[in-house]
Structure formats: structure tokens, C-alpha cells
Amino acid sequence: LAALLPTPQVAITAVTLGNPQRAAAEVDACLADGAAAVHVTHDAPKRVSHTHPDYDGVWGRLADAGVPFVLHVGGSRRSVPPSLHENGLAPVTDFIGGGENIRSKDYIALSHTVEVFLACMAMDGVFDRFPRLHGGAIELGACWLPTLLTKLEQAARNFRRTEPQLTAMELAPADYIRRQVWATPFPGEPVGQLIEQVGDDMLLFSSDYPHPEGTRDPLGRFRATMPDVGPEAQDKFFSGNFADMMRIPHPQ
């Protein structure tokens, strides 16, 4: 796949996690075709959790290949029930004029399923079993990231007696997220504040070009939210962290 695309584009493939054996076979096919990353769905599978050993074939293959998994908007069912849009007010559209895309309530709930997905990966030991496994939450915002880390720290502390696996791993659950996960803020989110909260290693620049939500000046809009962020941390945000996630050399 990568050979068919002009540089510097890379091929991202998609795999659903409904059946663990078929998903593992599809990951093999994606890797054989030269996938630079594999988009996996972050809905809960019906039979067992995506963290069950049955899915180790998926996570182990990606870890061995050094290829990241990515989560993306649209990779799960909507978190907002349709009835919550029936509020007695005039119907609303998304900001580009359609009703099938994201509206304000959808935006509020956009990260809920991805937070649960990643929390399970950390708490159930997938990141512990596969320390080379890594991935990113793409076009899902990043304002949720500090809260997720805080909740993971609280969960490990509050439930350690009844769920001893939470403290039996090499690292605390939140530290696996810090080590093995990245996220892309939306343009306009307070990147400087987020870097203060989670450090300068977890956030990735993205514009979603050519879609309009990136705005006409995504670089300028992000920089406006980073007045106190130094040049080294800005370089990480705009390019270095992406290179780390993709396991490619840092741009000069």
C-alpha cells in the first residue's frame, strides 16, 4: 500500500475487533501490505473484552511489528442517544451544514468510548504484556486526557484491594497511558494548559486537512494557545511526538 502513495503520505488500514481470530489475521494482512498504522474500532466487542487474551494475537502482532494502532472518530457507536437531540428546540446541524456529523452534544461525548477503551488496555494489563505496543487517539480531541490519567490513578488506589491486578503490574495504569499513548487536540483546545497537565510527550499536531475543522491556519491557531510553551516542547508537539509514535526519524 505504501508504495502506491506519494511521499510523504503513508497508508493507514482499518480492522474491526468483532472476532479476535479474524482481527488478528486481518492485522497480518495489513502489515504484509505495508500499513504504517492500523485503525482499530473502539466499540466494546460483544463476546469478550478487547483486552481478553483472545485478542493477544492482535496486540502482539502490532507490538512485534512496531506499528501503532490508532483510534479515530467514527470508530464506535455514538455516545449520545438520539432522544437527547429531541429537546423541543429547533433542530440543529453540524457546523458544516449536515445532521449526520458531529454536533455540540456529540462533541461533549466524543471521547467517552475511547477513554474506556484505553483505560481497559491499561488496567487489564495489555500495555504491561506488550510494552512495545503503542497507539494514538486521532481526531478525538485531548481535553479528556488529564482527566483520564487522574481517574486511572484514583481507580488504582480505590480498588486495589478488590482488584489486585491494578497494582500488580510493573507500572501504574496511568503510567502506561503516559508511555504508550498519544492524542491529537482539536484546533483551539488549550494545548499549553494540556502540556502543563500531561507533559510535552503525549500530544500531536493535526489539521485534518482538507476538512474545514482544521481552520485556514491550524499552525497559528495552535500556537496561539501555547504562549508559554518553549521551542523544544513546540517542536515535540508539531513533529517530534508524531515521529515517536510512528517510529520514524525525527525531522531535522
Side-chain angles (χ1 to χ4, degrees):
L1 290 175
L4 301 177
L5 296 171
T7 304
Q9 294 179 337
V10 295
I12 311 299
T13 57
V15 173
T16 61
L17 298 182
N19 178 287
Q21 290 74 36
R22 291 178 181 176
E26 189 64 20
V27 168
D28 278 338
C30 293
L31 296 175
D33 278 346
V38 175
H39 170 214
V40 298
T41 51
H42 54 276
D43 259 338
K46 291 184 179 180
R47 189 176 66 85
V48 297
S49 172
H50 58 286
T51 63
H52 191 280
D54 284 357
Y55 282 95
D56 281 1
V58 171
W59 308 125
R61 285 162 169 78
L62 290 173
D64 290 343
V67 170
F69 69 88
V70 289
L71 313 177
H72 191 270
V73 61
S76 71
R77 288 179 288 271
R78 294 267 177 101
S79 299
V80 176
S83 62
L84 297 186
H85 292 292
E86 301 297 330
N87 54 11
L89 303 175
V92 298
T93 67
D94 64 42
F95 64 90
I96 56 175
E100 71 287 348
N101 208 336
I102 294 172
R103 293 159 284 182
S104 61
K105 292 174 183 175
D106 301 309
Y107 169 73
I108 294 296
L110 195 62
S111 66
H112 290 176
T113 49
V114 75
E115 289 183 75
V116 173
F117 183 98
L118 290 171
C120 290
M121 295 282 280
M123 293 190 294
D124 289 350
V126 176
F127 288 135
D128 183 65
R129 295 200 298 276
F130 302 106
R132 295 184 61 209
L133 179 66
H134 62 287
I138 310 302
E139 203 181 350
L140 290 158
C143 285
W144 50 271
L145 195 52
T147 303
L148 174 61
L149 295 175
T150 299
K151 288 194 290 187
L152 282 171
E153 290 166 353
Q154 292 176 330
R157 181 172 59 251
N158 295 342
F159 296 94
R160 64 185 183 276
R161 292 182 181 176
T162 55
E163 301 178 46
Q165 79 278 2
L166 294 175
T167 54
M169 296 178 287
E170 178 186 0
L171 301 178
D175 288 336
Y176 286 107
I177 301 295
R178 291 186 177 97
R179 187 178 75 177
Q180 292 166 246
V181 174
W182 290 262
T184 59
F186 287 122
E189 289 189 345
V191 176
Q193 177 182 322
L194 291 173
I195 288 175
E196 287 183 5
Q197 294 172 313
V198 305
D200 59 13
D201 295 322
M202 299 189 68
L203 303 178
L204 307 172
F205 165 78
S206 69
S207 69
D208 203 33
Y209 177 85
H211 291 177
E213 58 264 34
T215 75
R216 295 181 179 180
D217 182 18
L219 293 172
R221 191 165 183 187
F222 275 120
R223 285 196 176 104
T225 71
M226 307 165 68
D228 300 318
V229 176
E232 182 178 350
Q234 289 206 28
D235 285 346
K236 286 185 175 183
F237 172 72
F238 284 112
S239 61
N241 291 340
F242 175 79
D244 286 342
M245 186 183 77
M246 300 301 293
R247 301 298 192 255
I248 59 177
H250 281 218
Q252 299 299 317

